[in-house]
Amino acid sequence: MVSSRFSSFPKHYLAAILVGLLGTGNILSAWLVYHPTRLFWLKHHLPWAVLRGSWLGNVFAGSAELFLSWSLGRRKAQAWRIVVLMLLVSTATSLLRGLNYGQAVVNFSILVILLALRTEFTAASDPPSVRHGLVTLAGTMLFAYLYGLFGFY
């Protein structure tokens, strides 16, 4: 009985929920998680701009994932493409900002799930969705900018 209830649950909703939770996790981990021993090794091998840029990139990717998860729930193909790109970015930035392997594996796992479900995301973007996407992009850029301004101190 329970399995029949979950088998009828649309897969794209599950993907949207996972991406939304992951986006929130990426933002929070960029803000809260700090590994001084891992960072010590990275400081000697990577320039400061790469280290700080990876923090900001992770916040940008996480906020884009969070904002676009709603569009994934609506099966938007363009949202799927952007989220796949942001998952690649967040996987790389998780490693660059502190060798956070656990988070990188989770990011990559959800990327694999989205790639497996690519046929589920077929809806084209309508003009209101494009406007919403542009507002989302502006909100994401503003959030990442404000985080960069205030989040490092």
Side-chain angles (χ1 to χ4, degrees):
M1 252 170 125
V2 173
S3 63
S4 66
R5 184 185 312 164
F6 290 115
S7 65
S8 65
F9 189 73
K11 296 174 194 138
H12 64 279
Y13 285 145
L14 178 62
I17 291 168
L18 287 174
V19 168
L21 290 172
L22 180 69
T24 304
N26 282 339
I27 294 167
L28 289 175
S29 77
W31 186 31
L32 301 172
V33 176
Y34 180 71
H35 300 288
T37 55
R38 294 179 187 174
L39 202 55
F40 179 76
W41 184 84
L42 286 172
K43 282 181 182 179
H44 293 312
H45 292 51
L46 294 174
W48 181 84
V50 171
L51 292 174
R52 288 300 176 196
S54 63
W55 251 283
L56 195 56
N58 205 2
V59 170
F60 178 74
S63 55
E65 292 159 3
L66 178 62
F67 290 138
L68 289 171
S69 63
W70 179 258
S71 296
L72 285 179
R74 296 176 56 214
R75 303 177 73 165
K76 298 292 183 179
Q78 188 65 24
W80 178 85
R81 287 185 205 101
I82 296 169
V83 167
V84 165
L85 178 67
M86 291 297 108
L87 284 170
L88 288 170
V89 169
S90 63
T91 300
T93 57
S94 294
L95 295 172
L96 286 174
R97 69 178 180 80
L99 297 176
N100 195 343
Y101 300 114
Q103 186 177 3
V105 167
V106 171
N107 287 333
F108 190 75
S109 299
I110 293 178
L111 173 64
V112 169
I113 290 169
L114 276 180
L115 290 174
L117 294 175
R118 71 180 168 269
T119 58
E120 296 283 323
F121 302 98
T122 56
S125 295
D126 49 310
S129 293
V130 171
R131 281 192 298 276
H132 175 63
L134 292 174
V135 168
T136 298
L137 177 64
T140 301
M141 297 293 280
L142 178 66
F143 180 77
Y145 174 74
L146 291 175
Y147 175 82
L149 212 61
F150 301 112
F152 294 133
Y153 301 107

